[in-house]
Amino acid sequence: MPNHFTPHAAGDLNYLKSLNRSTILSTVRRYPGLSRADIALRTGLTKATVGSVVNALSDSGWLREGELHARGGGRPGRSLYLDGEHHVMLGAEVGVKGLRVVACNLQGELLASQRLDDSPTTPAQTAAVLARLIEALRGDPAIATRPCLGLGVALPGPVAPQAPILRLAPNLGWVDVDFLALLRAELDWPAGVWLLDNEANAAAFGEFYFIEGAPPESIAYLSAGSGIGCGVVSGEHFPVIPRGHQGLVGEIGHTVLVAEGARCHCGNHGCAETLVSGWMLRESLGVEADASLSASLLARLDEPEVRAALARAGRALGLLMLNLHHTLNPSMLILGGSLMRLGEPLVAPALAYFDAHQNDLLRQTQRVPVKVVEDSTFTAARGAAAQVMARAAIEV
């Protein structure tokens, strides 16, 4: 999705309307229960502008009024909330080990979900299977009658910033795939917003977008699964994802940590994924492709080889966290992805390494908080749905 939107000309009325609408929705999302007067005070918009926009958003099912509050002797005002009973957004993830689809309301709550734990095959076949999951989801009674704002899809590789094209998914062997076009050919329904993004970007966006209250200045979401990726998000009312000239921002799994090291699935040598990734652990510890990595390794923790391999991978993960801290300096780090199911044997060495070294550079005692998402089954799909909501908020 675009990182921002730009007026076509100074004073463009449509741009200003979009700006005001998105700002008000963001404020209500962050601080539910505010009145119109509270929103005007917090955003600096005039009361007339806030009243007009709020009325339009209420009529279109985005906002609902709550209880009546007295405000310091002035006229009482109705509290405002996002309307969780009207619209729905769909989000999907094509993962290396399966497909996920979710339906969310405007408050980020999961209303329904579908999953398939089979590895994707070709792009066309995967689009056909994903379309069937989406259709099954849309038939769920929890969302069947709701207006759909759109569909966001997360894929395991960089997406071109100029067009929604998957550039490369090394762990699937996909190159230059117009996945949305394949999916549109399978789905005969209008879905409003359609968008495509990298799975780590989508997960980061959802974690940032649905934070209640004042968000951190920026977050970095490190996705550790079959591969390793990272998404970075900042911006209170209009969250921004940096992407780079070729869409490679966040491809931390393919930064080289060992010169002339082991060969990576991307074709390079010594990438971070050769030290910490699902595929590396499977290959090095002999876990079959169709077996659960976490279940298999947790059942073998009495084997010194397994504990040592997880400790090494954990330290490599901590090194990646430290590199993110020094290069991007986010105000919060989030660890997610399927490898988090391995728990303490992998995560503890990562956190220990990061905690021991994060303040070496500036010799400061202030610590960067780290959140661990132990179950991120639907995190990327939910984040893709959040991206749909953010885009729709501009275009509504």
Side-chain angles (χ1 to χ4, degrees):
M1 67 177 293
N3 293 330
H4 61 278
F5 54 95
T6 305
H8 297 293
D12 185 308
L13 183 59
N14 289 330
Y15 166 72
L16 293 176
K17 287 182 177 179
S18 294
L19 183 69
N20 293 340
R21 186 170 56 238
S22 294
T23 300
I24 290 170
L25 283 171
S26 172
T27 303
V28 175
R29 187 179 74 252
R30 299 284 186 209
Y31 309 99
L34 295 179
S35 68
R36 290 166 173 80
D38 294 331
I39 295 171
L41 185 63
R42 187 175 287 273
T43 63
L45 296 171
T46 67
K47 291 183 180 180
T49 296
V50 172
S52 175
V53 173
V54 165
N55 289 341
L57 289 171
S58 298
D59 291 343
S60 58
W62 282 74
L63 295 179
R64 66 172 178 85
E65 291 186 331
E67 62 275 14
L68 191 64
H69 287 304
R71 301 294 180 186
R75 295 179 59 186
R78 290 282 182 184
S79 56
L80 293 167
Y81 302 89
L82 292 176
D83 188 344
E85 304 299 321
H86 190 68
H87 293 291
V88 67
M89 307 91 67
L90 305 186
E93 179 193 6
V94 176
V96 176
K97 292 296 178 180
L99 307 178
R100 310 284 185 265
V101 185
V102 300
C104 298
N105 65 10
L106 296 183
Q107 296 165 335
E109 298 169 337
L110 265 62
L111 303 177
S113 64
Q114 292 279 332
R115 62 184 291 178
L116 179 67
D117 294 326
D118 291 338
S119 298
T121 53
T122 67
Q125 290 173 336
T126 301
V129 173
L130 182 60
R132 290 197 291 271
L133 285 181
I134 292 171
E135 292 290 10
L137 182 76
R138 291 184 67 235
D140 190 296
I143 67 166
T145 61
R146 291 183 179 230
C148 180
L149 293 177
L151 169 68
V153 181
L155 294 175
V159 173
Q162 296 83 11
I165 303 293
L166 175 71
R167 298 294 304 277
L168 171 69
N171 294 314
L172 292 179
W174 295 2
V175 179
D176 292 334
V177 177
D178 188 347
F179 193 76
L180 286 186
L182 295 174
L183 197 55
R184 283 181 186 274
E186 299 287 342
L187 290 170
D188 185 23
W189 55 279
V193 173
W194 287 67
L195 56 83
L196 192 74
D197 208 345
N198 167 267
E199 61 87 16
N201 285 343
F205 192 94
E207 288 292 302
F208 187 88
Y209 193 74
F210 287 125
I211 290 177
E212 190 171 303
E217 180 182 341
S218 62
I219 68 166
Y221 180 97
L222 206 163
S223 177
S226 294
I228 303 292
C230 177
V232 182
V233 188
S234 62
E236 182 174 6
H237 295 305
F238 304 96
V240 174
I241 301 174
R243 299 180 184 278
H245 175 60
Q246 296 173 311
L248 295 178
V249 170
E251 287 299 317
I252 194 169
H254 299 289
T255 55
V256 176
L257 298 185
V258 181
E260 307 303 325
R263 184 175 177 83
C264 179
H265 287 181
C266 74
N268 210 340
H269 290 264
C271 293
E273 286 193 9
T274 66
L275 301 179
V276 52
S277 65
W279 68 261
M280 181 279 294
L281 289 170
R282 284 181 182 278
E283 291 182 3
S284 63
L285 294 174
V287 179
E288 296 181 0
D290 58 350
S292 166
L293 178 66
S294 57
S296 298
L297 295 186
L298 291 175
R300 296 170 54 191
L301 288 181
D302 58 335
E303 299 178 23
E305 178 190 14
V306 171
R307 292 201 70 92
L310 293 179
R312 286 193 302 271
R315 287 191 293 273
L317 184 61
L319 176 59
L320 287 180
M321 294 167 63
L322 185 65
N323 287 344
L324 283 173
H325 173 58
H326 284 163
T327 55
L328 300 178
N329 200 209
S331 48
M332 181 179 185
L333 270 169
I334 301 177
L335 296 181
S338 59
L339 290 190
M340 294 304 103
R341 298 194 192 106
L342 292 168
E344 183 272 341
L346 176 81
V347 177
L351 297 179
Y353 185 94
F354 180 65
D355 190 60
H357 297 286
Q358 67 166 294
N359 289 325
D360 288 354
L361 184 62
L362 297 179
R363 302 294 190 268
Q364 294 181 348
T365 58
Q366 184 177 0
R367 319 301 285 179
V368 173
V370 179
K371 172 185 174 182
V372 179
V373 181
E374 295 180 358
D375 183 0
S376 55
T377 303
F378 296 111
T379 301
R382 178 175 179 262
Q387 290 178 303
V388 168
M389 178 175 168
R391 175 80 67 81
I394 295 172
E395 300 176 355
V396 64

